[in-house]
Amino acid sequence: MGDRIVRILLVEDDEFVRDLVVGQLTALGHVACAVEDADAALRVLETEAFDLLMTDVMLPGTLDGHALAARVRDRWPGMPVLYASGSAASAGAPAGAAVRHLQKPFRLQQLARAIDELVPGAATRCS
């Protein structure tokens, strides 16, 4: 376990799930900013710095999670991406060293492990 508090941009359209995941991220000792769609995520990224993008695959609007991640990786090439999806659509997401996939619903320990793998030195607290 490291000592780095991770700033995470969470993109999730379901308000209940969004609130639940923000609670999980906070419980793990990280800072989360949550938005409901890709357009809002891109606006926030223009003004704030994040260590990790965590996105659902199925999002409302013109960009889904895959397209959002592609735009983010083009503009901020070092940003890791954590996909969280309850659908099989996450299977089509690009793989790579800085990409992980979580199938919803996921356990707190699974979330902690994914963050630790994507962000070296993350200060993840998990009981």
Side-chain angles (χ1 to χ4, degrees):
M1 180 166 73
D3 59 1
R4 180 177 178 194
I5 295 173
V6 180
R7 289 190 41 83
I8 300 166
L9 178 57
L10 171 66
V11 188
E12 170 59 60
D13 61 313
D14 183 295
E15 183 178 6
F16 176 79
V17 174
R18 190 170 54 242
D19 291 345
L20 180 67
V21 175
V22 166
Q24 289 179 311
L25 294 170
T26 302
L28 291 172
H30 302 304
V31 175
C33 173
V35 297
E36 65 185 28
D37 62 37
D39 292 330
L42 292 170
R43 285 191 302 273
V44 169
L45 280 163
E46 289 297 331
T47 61
E48 296 183 47
F50 293 92
D51 303 303
L52 175 67
L53 171 66
M54 181 175 181
T55 184
D56 191 356
V57 174
M58 305 295 286
L59 295 172
T62 57
L63 297 175
D64 66 9
H66 300 300
L68 169 62
R71 287 225 186 145
V72 168
R73 302 287 300 271
D74 284 345
R75 181 92 158 68
W76 298 275
M79 186 176 298
V81 176
L82 176 57
Y83 291 102
S85 182
S87 72
S90 66
V99 176
R100 294 289 179 277
H101 307 268
L102 282 178
Q103 182 70 32
K104 291 179 190 172
F106 49 82
R107 296 178 174 267
L108 186 63
Q109 294 82 1
Q110 292 170 302
L111 178 59
R113 187 171 31 252
I115 293 168
D116 288 344
E117 289 172 358
L118 288 167
V119 183
T124 302
R125 299 185 309 257
C126 190
S127 47

